[in-house]
Amino acid sequence: MSDARRRPPSSTDVAALAGVSQKTVSRVLNGEPYVTEEVRERVLAAARELGYRRNTAARALHLGRFHRIGVVSIGSSLYGPSSLLVALERQARELGYAFAVAYTGEGAGLTNAVESLLAQGVDAIVVSDPIDDRIDDPIDGGQDLRIDPDVPVLSFRPVPGLDGPRVVVTGASGVDAGRQATEHLLGLGHATVWHVAGPHRWWAARDRARGWREALAAAGAPEQPALEGDWSPASGYAAGRVLAANPRVTAVFAANDDMAIGVLRALAEAGRAVPEEVSVVGMDDIPAAAYLSPPLTTIRQDFEAIARHGLALLAAEIERSPGGPALGDLPAHLVVRRSTAPPAK
Amino acid sequence: MSDARRRPPSSTDVAALAGVSQKTVSRVLNGEPYVTEEVRERVLAAARELGYRRNTAARALHLGRFHRIGVVSIGSSLYGPSSLLVALERQARELGYAFAVAYTGEGAGLTNAVESLLAQGVDAIVVSDPIDDRIDDPIDGGQDLRIDPDVPVLSFRPVPGLDGPRVVVTGASGVDAGRQATEHLLGLGHATVWHVAGPHRWWAARDRARGWREALAAAGAPEQPALEGDWSPASGYAAGRVLAANPRVTAVFAANDDMAIGVLRALAEAGRAVPEEVSVVGMDDIPAAAYLSPPLTTIRQDFEAIARHGLALLAAEIERSPGGPALGDLPAHLVVRRSTAPPAK
DNA sequence: ATGAAAGCGCTAACAT
DNA sequence: ATGTTAGCGCTTTCAT
């Protein structure tokens, strides 16, 4: 009976079935005025019967807008980036935007990811966890990120090399987080705080380290060279072994929880009790943080708020409407658990 | 000087600048034959000069294809789903497809996510971590998932209620993983194995539990009722307290590493040594697994292989080309660490 | 309150 | 080897 139709139904098909003009169908679908209630019903019924779905390609072609936001994220399952991605998607959908993702990593750099987003058509781009691409190229120090200046871009901290009239910056850089973690440890009475940093290429890692450094300076505490990890527990473990071997180390701030886990393990193996001998603070508040041995004191960010705030500004920029001022950093929250305590007397 | 052009350059603009017809531009851009090398150069130069980018909306409108794959994923930063997502994106890009994501969760069910994908225009849909929507609705037991039968759908295990001529199923259900974990413990000499399952609504959780049950049955080991968690360390901890209180428990298989972390903690608090008194196996091999106390024996899946295999089949279905047969489950791999040992004599 | 016609940027037939 | 024409499905003037 029913032959497999090759082409999905168009608004013309709906119009024919409803016995009206194609334009009237368009009116109904877009909720424009000047349509009789009776006609509107008839059109909607026809659309439902045919399983009609608006062709976004045609719509986008005409409007020159895609109603899609593209996100460049880091190709990994790290807790922070993943959580932010989820929050961004929810927010985008809420604002009526479709959501496209391009990951970086494994040779596919930022420029590549942006290019693939632009190629598919997006109204704006979010750069989620920028790394410093410019130190990639040993020859000329790499090159700046070139994004079509006509496409609005959102990032959560200023990205050197990423510039333009339609670049909007807001959110949570991590400086505040680094500062809070360090102040917490200093406040407990530790003479200074050691830092296991994220990879230097990540701006987020630099920000957290900067917060740490600023807090030390403000308190007049001696600054130690940071140990650099790669966000992984393995790298935290390596750093932890170094720290465990140094009897003067009593307080450590790891730039994420995963590395903190590695530090905890190294400390345990070296027989250095946490928090009795050494205090440890992580960052992210991964679900497992509360169930480690000991439960980890850490810093938590409100990704929902960050996404909401950022996309609201981005949407305003897309519409070229005023759009409130970009707030500075959204605050991070310290979650105190059992891995921190005053230093042994 | 340069006035802000509102409309991005079209192939007509390129043609004008290069002094050729618009069709010739199209030819060059699509690598079609019958273009002089000299003309080709001229066109490419013009395109570069104008910063021309092909308008995908127009292209999609004409072709009736979007060259985009949509993925429905679970709105969380759980390690498994996140890793699969990353792998799927890489694969999709490799195959020349743009990548759209819609998350489920928080009221936005599977149907909703699929709808939003279809609305934006995708050539196919991947259902990444399906849950049983049908028990959502207490009235009529929920309803089947309705997906336009003309859009190919890929899932990694059969999804009841999701049916149609263009549904392709392949990958790794988790049955094999559950079986391997259980056999490992049984092989060490444990009389039986307890199970901390994922939420029953997740098909993945049911599969892992089934593998566990099958392995027990095959070995003639007594089956215990599974304790159900929600993938979180907190839920694993709750289950772990129950298990720790039962002196007959000597071997536990947790359906993911996060829950295993909770179990480990509960055991530690109860003074039950791992692995001397109780062995624990997790699943996922999260990066932290090797750095827990003790390092966790777990099951690892090859998400890259799963994504590659699945998307290859999906691409074939999109092109309506034969496309090899759907293989069964891809094998999971046991990673033995220190959380498992033979039972105490 | 409704319809007709034009055009968005592209690709596919069909010339030349 | 290159150009002309038509048309994808939609929205937007402009008529009626």
Side-chain angles (χ1 to χ4, degrees):
Chain A
M1 258 332 140
S2 74
D3 55 337
R5 50 177 170 64
R6 254 313 38 92
R7 234 172 57 284
S10 73
S11 62
T12 314
D13 299 333
V14 175
L17 179 58
V20 299
S21 84
Q22 186 272 329
K23 170 65 214 181
T24 300
V25 173
S26 171
R27 281 211 180 84
V28 170
L29 264 37
N30 293 340
E32 288 170 32
Y34 305 126
V35 186
T36 334
E37 189 49 34
E38 186 253 326
V39 171
R40 141 174 258 91
E41 301 274 324
R42 202 139 42 91
V43 169
L44 290 177
R48 220 171 306 120
E49 178 173 343
L50 293 176
Y52 171 75
R53 201 182 307 271
R54 178 152 55 193
N55 182 324
T56 43
R59 190 185 162 84
L61 172 55
H62 189 93
L63 298 176
R65 285 275 188 78
F66 300 92
H67 290 283
R68 175 172 18 251
I69 287 177
V71 176
V72 177
S73 185
I74 195 85
S76 81
S77 42
L78 290 171
Y79 182 80
S82 304
S83 303
L84 182 55
L85 197 65
V86 172
L88 286 170
E89 191 269 354
R90 198 196 313 290
Q91 235 15 72
R93 185 144 28 137
E94 205 124 298
L95 293 173
Y97 285 93
F99 193 72
V101 177
Y103 288 109
T104 58
E106 299 263 336
L110 187 48
T111 310
N112 249 316
V114 167
E115 200 47 49
S116 108
L117 250 21
L118 252 22
Q120 83 168 281
V122 293
D123 295 340
I125 288 180
V126 180
V127 178
S128 160
D129 283 274
I131 63 174
D132 191 348
D133 257 353
R134 298 173 310 168
I135 49 182
D136 252 355
D137 192 329
I139 314 265
D140 64 5
Q143 57 189 16
D144 282 1
L145 177 60
R146 275 281 139 265
I147 295 191
D148 185 333
D150 224 50
V151 177
V153 176
L154 167 69
S155 75
F156 299 104
R157 60 147 286 152
V159 179
L162 172 56
D163 233 330
R166 308 199 69 186
V167 171
V168 5
V169 177
T170 185
S173 70
V175 176
D176 174 59
R179 200 182 299 120
Q180 280 196 53
T182 310
E183 284 171 356
H184 168 63
L185 290 165
L186 258 17
L188 286 170
H190 293 273
T192 189
V193 177
W194 273 257
H195 183 43
V196 180
H200 187 249
R201 287 183 54 198
W202 288 55
W203 293 108
R206 294 194 202 175
D207 287 337
R208 291 169 200 187
R210 196 177 113 210
W212 161 70
R213 222 173 278 117
E214 286 180 5
L216 287 186
E223 181 183 329
Q224 315 303 326
L227 289 102
E228 182 175 332
D230 65 2
W231 301 127
S232 74
S235 68
Y237 177 75
R241 305 232 319 180
V242 174
L243 295 170
N246 182 345
R248 289 178 320 155
V249 172
T250 68
V252 179
F253 164 46
N256 77 342
D257 287 350
D258 269 356
M259 293 195 297
I261 288 175
V263 170
L264 248 26
R265 166 120 208 114
L267 255 15
E269 287 183 1
R272 303 261 266 146
V274 176
E276 293 78 8
E277 294 176 61
V278 183
S279 286
V280 177
V281 175
M283 168 150 184
D284 275 350
D285 195 21
I286 62 175
Y291 296 89
L292 299 173
S293 302
L296 186 67
T297 294
T298 187
I299 305 275
R300 150 191 282 281
Q301 286 175 287
D302 185 348
F303 293 112
E304 282 294 333
I306 293 170
R308 193 176 331 111
H309 191 68
L311 285 197
L313 284 167
L314 192 59
E317 180 59 42
I318 292 174
E319 317 288 349
R320 296 178 182 279
S321 66
L327 269 63
D329 277 18
L330 263 42
H333 301 284
L334 178 72
V335 181
V336 179
R337 298 211 179 85
R338 301 224 305 271
S339 66
T340 51
K345 267 276 79 133
Chain B
M1 259 329 142
S2 75
D3 56 335
R5 50 174 171 64
R6 250 323 30 95
R7 233 171 60 282
S10 73
S11 61
T12 315
D13 300 332
V14 176
L17 179 58
V20 298
S21 84
Q22 185 273 327
K23 173 64 215 183
T24 299
V25 174
S26 171
R27 280 211 181 84
V28 171
L29 265 35
N30 293 340
E32 287 170 33
Y34 305 127
V35 187
T36 334
E37 189 49 33
E38 186 255 324
V39 171
R40 140 176 259 91
E41 300 275 324
R42 200 139 43 90
V43 168
L44 290 177
R48 219 171 308 118
E49 178 173 341
L50 293 176
Y52 171 74
R53 200 184 305 275
R54 178 152 61 193
N55 182 323
T56 42
R59 190 184 160 84
L61 172 56
H62 186 92
L63 299 175
R65 285 276 188 78
F66 300 92
H67 290 282
R68 175 170 21 249
I69 287 177
V71 176
V72 178
S73 185
I74 195 86
S76 81
S77 41
L78 290 170
Y79 182 80
S82 304
S83 303
L84 182 55
L85 197 64
V86 172
L88 286 170
E89 192 270 352
R90 197 197 311 290
Q91 242 2 81
R93 194 163 356 155
E94 205 122 299
L95 293 173
Y97 286 93
F99 193 73
V101 177
Y103 287 110
T104 58
E106 299 264 338
L110 186 48
T111 311
N112 248 316
V114 167
E115 199 48 48
S116 107
L117 249 22
L118 253 22
Q120 83 169 282
V122 293
D123 295 340
I125 289 179
V126 180
V127 178
S128 159
D129 282 276
I131 62 174
D132 191 348
D133 258 354
R134 298 174 309 168
I135 49 182
D136 253 356
D137 192 329
I139 313 267
D140 63 5
Q143 59 189 16
D144 280 2
L145 178 59
R146 275 281 140 264
I147 295 190
D148 185 333
D150 225 49
V151 177
V153 176
L154 167 69
S155 74
F156 299 103
R157 59 146 289 151
V159 179
L162 171 56
D163 232 330
R166 310 200 69 187
V167 172
V168 5
V169 177
T170 186
S173 70
V175 175
D176 174 58
R179 200 183 299 120
Q180 281 196 53
T182 310
E183 282 170 357
H184 168 62
L185 290 165
L186 257 18
L188 286 170
H190 293 274
T192 190
V193 176
W194 273 256
H195 183 44
V196 180
H200 187 249
R201 288 183 52 196
W202 288 56
W203 293 108
R206 293 193 203 176
D207 287 336
R208 292 169 200 188
R210 197 177 112 210
W212 161 69
R213 221 173 278 117
E214 286 180 4
L216 288 185
E223 182 185 327
Q224 314 303 328
L227 289 101
E228 182 175 332
D230 64 4
W231 301 126
S232 75
S235 69
Y237 177 74
R241 305 229 325 176
V242 174
L243 295 171
N246 181 345
R248 290 177 318 154
V249 172
T250 68
V252 178
F253 164 45
N256 78 342
D257 287 349
D258 269 357
M259 293 195 296
I261 287 175
V263 170
L264 248 29
R265 166 122 208 112
L267 255 16
E269 287 183 1
R272 302 260 265 147
V274 177
E276 293 78 7
E277 294 177 62
V278 183
S279 286
V280 177
V281 176
M283 168 152 185
D284 275 349
D285 195 20
I286 62 175
Y291 296 89
L292 299 173
S293 300
L296 186 67
T297 293
T298 187
I299 304 274
R300 149 190 283 280
Q301 286 175 284
D302 185 348
F303 293 113
E304 281 296 332
I306 293 171
R308 192 175 334 110
H309 190 69
L311 284 198
L313 284 167
L314 191 58
E317 179 60 41
I318 291 174
E319 319 288 349
R320 295 179 182 280
S321 68
L327 269 64
D329 277 18
L330 263 42
H333 300 285
L334 179 72
V335 180
V336 178
R337 298 211 179 86
R338 301 224 304 273
S339 66
T340 49
K345 272 275 75 143

